[in-house]
Amino acid sequence: MKKTKELFYLIKFIDQRYINSFLEKGQIHYEPLYYFSELERKTGDRRIGDAFEGNACFNPINLPIFFLMKNKKGKVIKAVPFKNNNLRMVKGLPEKLKQRIGICSFFYVAAEDLEYFTGKDGNRYYKFNDRIMVDYRMKLATQLVVNKKRHSA
């Protein structure tokens, strides 16, 4: 018999307006990368919006960074420390491409992370077990702190 760790589900939360096309045709709605960056820029939504969607962003906080001065032969003659903590390096896709490439999120849920319960209507349902909910709350709290730091830099 297989272990329950090998069983898993992919869950997709669907906006009400796309449910029929999913149920009737199997279509999954994607938003372009551009949508999420614009959502944050225009509305300030940092929960779903992400100004850096489609980009690689590197904030080298507390890392030693130096400007190297070289002579004509390429030999380093001086290393000048850079002390600006607001340095951010961003490399991303061109805006036109961000408007064409779609993104869709699914959540991985292992079978062992779920438990059955019987509702008042007599039907059996799944819910996340307590261990997962504690873990989720910790991750959510951590993510909120990380997002706050990311956007305040």
Side-chain angles (χ1 to χ4, degrees), residues 48-149:
I48 296 172
D50 184 353
F52 297 109
E53 191 70 65
N55 294 306
C57 181
F58 179 60
N59 294 339
I61 298 170
N62 298 326
L63 293 177
I65 299 174
F66 297 90
F67 289 109
L68 302 178
M69 301 170 84
K70 298 180 179 182
N71 63 18
K72 290 181 181 180
K73 294 181 181 179
K75 183 178 177 185
V76 175
I77 55 173
K78 188 172 186 179
V80 180
F82 183 75
K83 296 182 180 182
N84 184 349
N85 285 342
N86 293 323
L87 180 66
R88 178 180 288 151
M89 294 179 273
V90 178
K91 180 71 176 164
L93 298 169
E95 292 301 316
K96 281 188 176 184
L97 206 49
K98 288 182 190 178
Q99 292 174 13
R100 291 182 34 221
I101 295 176
I103 187 170
C104 182
S105 297
F106 288 86
F107 296 89
Y108 170 92
V109 179
E112 66 185 14
D113 298 336
L114 300 172
E115 60 186 56
Y116 286 110
F117 73 97
T118 304
K120 292 180 181 179
D121 58 4
N123 291 323
R124 291 176 54 100
Y125 298 94
Y126 284 110
K127 72 175 187 172
F128 289 108
N129 62 37
D130 292 339
R131 181 184 58 81
I132 289 300
M133 292 309 296
V134 168
D135 186 48
Y136 172 75
R137 288 183 190 110
M138 292 295 291
K139 286 180 182 174
L140 180 60
T142 302
Q143 186 63 41
L144 291 172
V145 169
V146 169
N147 281 342
K148 185 175 181 183
K149 286 181 181 178

Side-chain angles (χ1 to χ4, degrees), residues 1 19 30 36 93 148 152:
M1 184 172 170
I19 288 180
Y30 287 72
F36 298 98
L93 298 169
K148 185 175 181 183
S152 63

